[in-house]
Amino acid sequence: MSACPRKMIKENGAEKSKSFSRCRNLNLDVECGEAVSFVWPASLFPMIQHIRIKDPDDERVGAFTSLKDRELALRHGLFVVEGEWLVLRLLHSSYPVHAVLMTPSRFADPIWQFSAATTIYLAEEQVISRVVGFPFHRGMLALGIRSPLAPPDEFLRSAQMPARLIILPEINDAENLGALFRSGIGLGYTHFILGPSCTDPFSRRALRTSMGAIFQANIMRSQDLHSDIIHLRHEHGFKFHALTAGDNDAENLEGVRPSRRVGLIFGSEANGIAPHLEMLCDNKVTIPMQPGTDSLNVNAAAAIALYHYRIQQGSGSAP
């Protein structure tokens, strides 16, 4: 509905001014506060095949609810996206969309541009709520198709100079991981390397927290981070900096001048960075805190560090 204009109408022989809303997709004025129900005309639906779902136990939409993120990944190579905003970002990304479950009113909106290869399921909101198992008011869900993650050499072909890498050996919390992607992409970092024990970036919570930033990232899943760091140093000229929490031999962030190609390593809040990876780093960096205060959480610390490195590289980097 758009903003409510006022119209002069006759009521019981007298003219009165009343507020009306115009429904965007129907040529229909509705008096504000009036309860109106109608059936969406078939002519409003895009000329693309869609399937009506009336039974929440319909096996055709089972992937939206019965399978966990890990099962979807291993058995079907899929991930789930929830909500209109994230689905829109998925549609504008390079990731193919396997299927969408949405309400008829959302489907009628001309904003959606679906591929003919995407299966569209339409169901009322109460049916979708029963499918997902909780009151669902975001209007739609989508199943995206995972892309194979590239090996180091292929992963770096699109890296621009000065190249910056974000390396996350073992971020186990999905919300922390999503927030790190959101900060990184927002600050111009496009290449991420995840360690073998790092949580899944395509889990529902990580995608939701990232606000879809993960769809813009180049992601490599390393099976041997120690070897890959050595490879990146010798073959591609990277230097590596570890962000630590107050080590005595760590350099204060404000004094750091990064090299032309730098990989920033952020550890988990529980365990930090493993000693064997820290030993490979050219520099350890810390954000100085006031005495008697705890260190920042990994998301806040990373955002500060990423901004500093971007500014320093923009104003001239060390060799």
Side-chain angles (χ1 to χ4, degrees), residues 111-143:
I111 192 175
W112 305 111
Q113 301 292 327
F114 295 114
S115 163
T118 301
T119 303
I120 310 297
Y121 298 107
L122 301 185
E124 298 301 331
E125 191 172 89
Q126 60 269 30
V127 175
I128 296 179
S129 294
R130 291 183 61 189
V131 168
V132 300
F134 57 88
F136 189 78
H137 305 295
R138 298 189 182 101
M140 60 196 313
L141 305 95
L143 294 174

Side-chain angles (χ1 to χ4, degrees), residues 7 16 29 33 63 87 92 112 123 167 189 225 244 254:
K7 291 186 177 182
K16 293 184 179 180
D29 287 330
V87 173
H92 285 86
W112 305 111
I167 301 171
Y189 295 74
L225 200 49
T244 66
E254 59 187 326

Side-chain angles (χ1 to χ4, degrees), residues 179-180 183-184 187 243 266 287 297-308:
L180 284 163
S183 296
L187 291 168
L243 192 70
F266 300 98
I287 298 173
N297 66 41
V298 65
N299 303 326
I304 293 170
L306 295 175
Y307 180 74
H308 173 84

Side-chain angles (χ1 to χ4, degrees), residues 25-314:
N25 289 317
L26 297 176
N27 186 23
L28 176 68
D29 287 330
V30 179
E31 182 178 341
C32 291
E34 180 183 359
V36 175
S37 62
F38 51 82
V39 176
W40 290 92
S43 60
L44 287 177
F45 290 106
M47 296 303 292
I48 186 170
Q49 288 190 344
H50 53 275
I51 300 169
R52 291 277 186 167
I53 300 295
K54 297 182 179 180
D55 181 0
D57 296 321
D58 193 318
E59 63 181 13
R60 291 174 295 183
V61 293
F64 287 97
T65 179
S66 62
L67 297 179
K68 302 297 184 184
D69 288 324
R70 182 173 175 80
E71 291 178 285
L72 275 174
L74 294 177
R75 292 171 56 181
H76 302 285
L78 301 173
F79 59 88
V80 178
V81 170
E82 300 175 348
E84 184 173 310
W85 178 247
L86 284 182
V87 173
L88 190 60
R89 288 204 162 182
L90 173 61
L91 289 170
H92 285 86
S93 75
S94 61
Y95 289 88
V97 182
H98 174 69
V100 175
L101 174 61
M102 63 195 308
T103 61
S105 59
R106 290 289 203 282
F107 185 57
D109 195 316
I111 192 175
W112 305 111
Q113 301 292 327
F114 295 114
S115 163
T118 301
T119 303
I120 310 297
Y121 298 107
L122 301 185
E124 298 301 331
E125 191 172 89
Q126 60 269 30
V127 175
I128 296 179
S129 294
R130 291 183 61 189
V131 168
V132 300
F134 57 88
F136 189 78
H137 305 295
R138 298 189 182 101
M140 60 196 313
L141 305 95
L143 294 174
I145 300 175
R146 293 171 181 258
S147 300
L149 301 182
D153 285 337
E154 183 179 337
F155 168 78
L156 288 172
R157 284 177 191 166
S158 61
Q160 298 178 351
M161 292 292 286
R164 301 184 293 256
L165 299 177
I166 293 177
I167 301 171
L168 307 172
E170 52 174 338
I171 302 297
N172 298 314
D173 183 88
E175 292 185 355
N176 281 343
L177 185 65
L180 284 163
F181 271 91
R182 184 176 180 181
S183 296
I185 291 295
L187 291 168
Y189 295 74
T190 58
H191 287 65
F192 295 74
I193 299 179
L194 310 184
S197 60
C198 193
T199 196
D200 181 14
F202 292 95
S203 69
R204 302 182 199 203
R205 288 173 61 204
L207 288 170
R208 187 165 58 245
T209 308
S210 80
M211 291 297 292
I214 287 171
F215 299 140
Q216 303 175 52
N218 296 292
I219 305 171
M220 173 187 146
R221 171 74 76 172
S222 172
Q223 298 305 318
D224 185 350
L225 200 49
H226 187 278
S227 297
D228 285 335
I229 287 176
I230 293 174
H231 172 84
L232 291 168
R233 181 197 304 282
H234 292 163
E235 299 298 325
H236 299 281
F238 277 91
K239 293 186 177 180
F240 295 91
H241 292 192
L243 192 70
T244 66
D247 285 6
N248 292 331
D249 58 343
E251 182 179 359
N252 283 352
L253 175 65
E254 59 187 326
V256 174
R257 291 187 67 226
S259 63
R260 292 285 293 171
R261 301 196 116 187
V262 61
L264 303 177
I265 304 179
F266 300 98
S268 68
E269 292 186 0
N271 303 317
I273 300 172
H276 73 280
L277 295 179
E278 200 170 87
M279 289 177 61
L280 295 175
C281 292
D282 302 276
N283 199 5
K284 291 194 291 184
V285 180
T286 190
I287 298 173
M289 303 291 294
Q290 291 296 316
T293 61
D294 292 331
S295 62
L296 298 171
N297 66 41
V298 65
N299 303 326
I304 293 170
L306 295 175
Y307 180 74
H308 173 84
Y309 277 77
R310 189 189 75 174
I311 293 298
Q312 289 298 313
Q313 285 192 318

